[in-house]
Amino acid sequence: MADIVSQPWFWPAVIVSVGLPLLLIGLTEMHNAMARRGSRAAPIVLMVRNYLVPVAGVLVLISQPGAWEGEGTWPKVVTTIFGLLVILVVINAINHLVFHRAEKGSWRDRFPTIFSDLIRFVFILVGIALLFWWVWGADVAGIFAALGVTSIVVGLALQNAVGSVVSGLFLIFEAPFQLGDWIETGDVRGQIIEVNWRAIHLDVGNGTVVMPTSELAGGSFTNLSRSPEPYAAQRAFSFATDDPPARVRALLVDVARDIPLVSADRDPSVATLDGAQFQVSIPLQSPGDKDVVLDAFSTRLWYAARRADLHLNGDVTDEWNTPGRLQDALHQIAPILSLRPEDAEALAVSARLERFCQGEVILRPGMIPTATRYILAGRVMLGIPTDAGLVQVTELGRDDAVGLTALTRTQTISRAIALTELEVLTIPVHLLDDVVRAHPVLAREIVRENDNRVRLARSALAAVGEHLAPGRNVFG
């Protein structure tokens, strides 16, 4: 037994036959645990288990004295394979520790991938050259000299192309933007969806613009997403010179506030320009919403200006709002108000026709209506805002009323939004008071309709796990 233990091959054989399986089992468990956590180091452990450790075991066995006659070629081959695997494992481990585990926003996180790839490539070449020099006795000095001369020649031939690429890489390394940011340069405004060493891809809404990074590096651009204040969409509008500026400014702000996609962190603002012009500034949730918001604002402003008797673009004509159409509307709602047609015509002194565009808010929670609007054409959605969003209660149509709480002078709990272009007949509350005094049945009908809407509200809220607070029984 002592003779066997003293043999030079005994302990290497024990290490390989016993230590190798244990090491493989340990590496397998480590890889499985890292894979379950989603660690990016798991492939490195897998490479060590599947390749490096088995080759190391073979190298231990064939490197023993007497295993090969003379110098032997196979030990050198196995040593070369082992050296290559060591180089790959070490370089991947360093790359993981330095770059993959970098903190968000640190210089390692911003380091361009192309730079790290080039550094790895250089280290692999140097490692292979040193490995062949050490194992095979190769003369690597000539190889390095040839590589140096070749790199100089290629660099001179491609200096313009390489210069633009390098300038773009330095721009990426500086990281003045990141994926998802909105930038504006010249006539191009878009969202960054991809960044690589050669170009930046911008989603401009109707396609993708591929812009070389060197073009951005050599010029100027604006990062719309890096402003401390929300990005604001701006547009100028003109009104008639007789329109009071204070009323115009208030109208512009009110219309802007009700548009979806507007930032809640800052209120819209208006600046008065020369020649009865006003520039509105609308803060947005995202710079990409600019075109959508301005389109919705311009559309709604046309309707709101007509309702406020202001003259957008100096237009003083309104061929829709005519006395004849008003009389037809009064005849339409006369039965609802329990009025005879001739009595309804007397309301024309104070009643008025109004139009709303799709999406406009007619009634909002907490508002005390000063008039009741009867729908002549179009549809309205009544809903209640909750923490989970707007819960739809019912849909109103022709001859239905919006603003039932006007008579009671109480706040409503509902939000009314036009689902289509809407035509309404607006009757001020003082006019409704006179009608109710003359026809008490109208008051009972209004109360009955309000109670019906409250029941619908309770059912709609219960369907989504919400409930109507006690005492909140006044609906629009």
Side-chain angles (χ1 to χ4, degrees):
M1 182 65 179
D3 293 339
I4 297 177
V5 173
S6 63
Q7 294 296 320
W9 52 265
F10 177 78
W11 289 112
V14 171
I15 292 173
V16 172
S17 60
V18 177
L20 182 62
L22 294 177
L23 185 58
L24 290 176
I25 292 174
L27 290 172
T28 300
E29 294 300 321
M30 182 185 296
H31 169 263
N32 291 338
M34 298 176 74
R36 285 193 297 269
R37 295 198 309 267
S39 173
R40 300 181 69 174
I44 301 176
V45 176
L46 188 64
M47 182 185 297
V48 173
R49 185 197 68 179
N50 291 346
Y51 304 106
L52 186 61
V53 171
V55 173
V58 174
L59 182 61
V60 169
L61 292 177
I62 68 175
S63 299
Q64 301 307 308
W68 295 91
E69 295 295 334
E71 292 293 330
T73 301
W74 278 109
K76 292 184 178 181
V77 172
V78 176
T79 302
T80 303
I81 296 175
F82 179 76
L84 291 174
L85 291 172
V86 170
I87 291 172
L88 290 177
V89 169
V90 171
I91 289 179
N92 280 282
I94 293 175
N95 182 67
H96 172 72
L97 293 174
V98 175
F99 298 111
H100 290 172
R101 299 184 62 183
E103 295 181 0
K104 187 70 174 177
S106 65
W107 70 269
R108 293 182 298 168
D109 180 58
R110 300 195 310 267
F111 197 80
T113 305
I114 185 63
F115 279 3
S116 60
D117 291 342
L118 288 175
I119 293 173
R120 283 203 302 270
F121 180 71
V122 171
F123 275 115
I124 290 174
L125 286 182
V126 173
I128 291 175
L130 294 176
L131 182 64
F132 274 81
W133 167 75
W134 178 54
V135 177
W136 301 92
D139 182 14
V140 296
I143 297 177
F144 284 120
L147 287 175
V149 173
T150 303
S151 63
I152 293 175
V153 173
V154 172
L156 291 174
L158 301 177
Q159 57 180 337
N160 291 332
V162 173
S164 62
V165 171
V166 170
S167 63
L169 291 175
F170 277 114
L171 177 67
I172 298 175
F173 182 68
E174 183 185 353
F177 46 69
Q178 59 185 4
L179 289 179
D181 282 358
W182 284 82
I183 65 172
E184 187 173 49
T185 173
D187 297 332
V188 178
R189 180 176 60 89
Q191 185 179 30
I192 300 175
I193 57 176
E194 182 180 345
V195 179
N196 56 48
W197 62 271
R198 189 191 70 83
I200 294 175
H201 296 224
L202 300 176
D203 182 2
V204 295
N206 58 350
T208 300
V209 173
V210 180
M211 182 173 295
T213 51
S214 58
E215 184 175 331
L216 283 180
S220 61
F221 61 90
T222 302
N223 190 332
L224 304 177
S225 301
R226 294 286 181 91
S227 173
E229 295 288 339
Y231 175 76
Q234 295 183 337
R235 180 168 292 179
F237 297 89
S238 62
F239 285 78
T241 55
D242 290 338
D243 291 335
R247 287 185 57 202
V248 173
R249 292 167 64 99
L251 175 72
L252 293 171
V253 171
D254 288 341
V255 173
R257 281 201 185 106
D258 281 333
I259 295 179
L261 307 177
V262 172
S263 173
D265 298 331
R266 187 161 63 93
D267 290 331
S269 60
V270 179
T272 304
L273 308 178
D274 294 335
Q277 287 193 328
F278 302 83
Q279 180 168 281
V280 62
S281 180
I282 309 173
L284 307 179
Q285 297 176 9
S286 168
D289 301 330
K290 175 182 177 180
D291 294 336
V292 175
V293 169
L294 287 179
D295 178 68
F297 179 80
S298 300
T299 303
R300 296 186 183 189
L301 182 60
W302 186 90
Y303 288 88
R306 300 252 168 159
R307 294 195 303 270
D309 292 326
L310 297 174
H311 309 95
L312 181 64
N313 298 323
D315 187 4
V316 296
T317 61
D318 188 353
E319 298 179 355
W320 176 81
N321 194 349
T322 62
R325 192 183 295 272
L326 177 60
Q327 292 294 333
D328 292 340
L330 290 170
H331 288 167
Q332 177 179 325
I333 69 159
I336 303 172
L337 300 178
S338 302
L339 295 176
R340 294 176 300 176
E342 56 270 21
D343 294 333
E345 292 178 3
L347 303 179
V349 178
S350 299
R352 57 177 298 164
L353 294 173
E354 292 182 334
R355 280 190 293 184
F356 294 82
C357 75
Q358 180 182 1
E360 274 197 274
V361 177
I362 306 167
L363 199 65
R364 57 178 58 84
M367 178 179 177
I368 300 178
T370 59
T372 299
R373 293 179 171 89
Y374 290 88
I375 300 176
L376 303 175
R379 293 180 293 113
V380 173
M381 187 270 286
L382 276 184
I384 296 181
T386 66
D387 294 337
L390 186 67
V391 177
Q392 180 171 344
V393 173
T394 187
E395 184 176 304
L396 305 180
R398 181 184 172 94
D399 296 337
D400 288 329
V402 181
L404 295 179
T405 62
L407 276 174
T408 57
R409 274 71 167 179
T410 51
Q411 296 180 350
T412 180
I413 62 173
S414 62
R415 181 184 298 271
I417 302 175
L419 296 177
T420 63
E421 185 180 55
L422 189 68
E423 299 179 5
V424 298
L425 176 65
T426 301
I427 300 181
V429 65
H430 71 271
L431 210 58
L432 275 179
D433 288 338
D434 296 337
V435 175
V436 168
R437 279 193 292 268
H439 304 276
V441 66
L442 177 60
R444 292 194 294 270
E445 291 295 329
I446 291 177
V447 171
R448 186 181 298 111
E449 177 61 21
N450 182 78
D451 292 341
N452 178 55
R453 294 181 187 182
V454 170
R455 285 193 295 271
L456 293 174
R458 294 186 189 279
S459 300
L461 290 173
V464 296
E466 298 281 348
H467 65 278
L468 196 61
R472 300 188 66 188
N473 57 359
V474 182
F475 208 72

